[in-house]
Amino acid sequence: AQSVTQPDIHITVSEGASLELRCNYSYGATPYLFWYVQSPGQGLQLLLKYFSGDTLVQGIKGFEAEFKRSQSSFNLRKPSVHWSDAAEYFCAVGPLMGGGNKLTFGTGTQLKVEL
Amino acid sequence: NAGVTQTPKFRVLKTGQSMTLLCAQDMNHEYMYWYRQDPGMGLRLIHYSVGEGTTAKGEVPDGYNVSRLKKQNFLLGLESAAPSQTSVYFCASSYIAGGPGEQFFGPGTRLTVL
């Protein structure tokens, strides 16, 4: 069965420091991978997605992610974190069997930014 | 272009009461979804729809019903609310693509069942 693991529940970084959020997936074929961000009290917003091609994907707000098939990983990175990046981040994989473009989401990583 | 909207934003119910959550999208998307979000559990799919007049069960469908009478609307119903249904509910929509298209999310409905 498809699954997504985000091993870090909480991460704290200082403003200006680099960031890496981990995502590991289990999927039987070539996956479609997504990173979403959720600010407090808000819905989820897409940061970036990987379907095929270049394994380094650029997204919004200065984020990037690298697909590593050999490690079944899709880690999210940012070179310099801003205080406004404090939020919860979700990794997702799809499509799931049965149609409907369904995704499986990880349990999320809560990012805290220290000023 | 409002995207995905949800009504209401907040609701408090007593055990056994019923209610309907409304989701509307103005992007002409074929697919729509209802999720619940609970601390430490991420998003779990309740029901989804691949088009007008169709619905299907997701990961956690028990205690919920849905209807998609119009392409732009997706309703989630709780017939007899239970405290275990206290959660934040998100609606999302998606377009048909060669693979999974991006899902667009609404702002959520925070439901408390006493």
Side-chain angles (χ1 to χ4, degrees):
Chain A
Q2 298 91 339
S3 65
V4 176
T5 301
Q6 293 181 247
D8 303 307
I9 299 174
H10 298 280
I11 283 185
T12 300
V13 299
S14 299
E15 189 175 36
S18 63
L19 172 70
E20 183 170 29
L21 301 183
R22 295 182 291 166
C23 172
N24 293 99
Y25 66 89
S26 173
Y27 195 78
T30 300
Y32 294 76
L33 295 157
F34 304 81
W35 273 102
Y36 284 85
V37 60
Q38 184 182 30
S39 298
Q42 304 294 318
L44 278 71
Q45 180 186 19
L46 182 72
L47 282 176
L48 48 78
K49 58 188 177 186
Y50 170 78
F51 283 178
S52 64
D54 193 348
T55 56
L56 185 62
V57 181
Q58 302 297 320
I60 63 171
K61 305 184 181 186
F63 285 92
E64 66 178 26
E66 186 171 12
F67 170 59
K68 293 185 177 180
R69 184 187 300 274
S70 61
Q71 298 178 19
S72 297
S73 69
F74 189 57
N75 294 349
L76 182 70
R77 300 193 296 246
K78 187 169 185 178
S80 178
V81 171
H82 189 263
W83 64 266
S84 60
D85 293 324
E88 190 158 22
Y89 292 80
F90 292 93
C91 182
V93 66
L96 304 183
M97 294 184 64
N101 286 351
K102 300 189 297 296
L103 302 178
T104 290
F105 286 83
T107 52
T109 297
Q110 187 73 46
L111 173 65
K112 180 180 176 181
V113 180
E114 292 183 331
L115 299 176
Chain B
N1 190 339
V4 180
T5 58
Q6 293 183 231
T7 307
K9 289 184 168 52
F10 303 93
R11 186 72 186 268
V12 178
L13 290 179
K14 294 181 179 178
T15 297
Q17 288 185 319
S18 63
M19 78 163 295
T20 300
L21 282 67
L22 171 63
C23 175
Q25 53 95 4
D26 61 2
M27 296 174 283
N28 201 35
H29 286 170
E30 289 295 328
Y31 300 153
M32 296 187 74
Y33 314 85
W34 274 108
Y35 294 91
R36 60 177 290 171
Q37 183 181 32
D38 303 291
M41 302 189 75
L43 277 78
R44 293 182 292 170
L45 184 64
I46 304 171
H47 286 281
Y48 65 101
S49 169
V50 298
E52 181 178 319
T54 74
T55 63
K57 294 180 180 180
E59 180 185 355
V60 288
D62 294 342
Y64 305 95
N65 57 76
V66 288
S67 64
R68 184 123 181 248
L69 300 179
K70 294 183 178 180
K71 185 177 183 179
Q72 63 267 35
N73 295 337
F74 195 30
L75 279 63
L76 177 71
L78 286 74
E79 291 187 346
S80 179
S84 60
Q85 294 177 304
T86 292
S87 186
V88 181
Y89 292 86
F90 287 99
C91 177
S93 69
S94 177
Y95 50 89
I96 295 175
E102 170 188 355
Q103 291 189 12
F104 294 78
F105 284 82
T109 295
R110 185 173 294 275
L111 175 66
T112 301
V113 183
L114 302 176

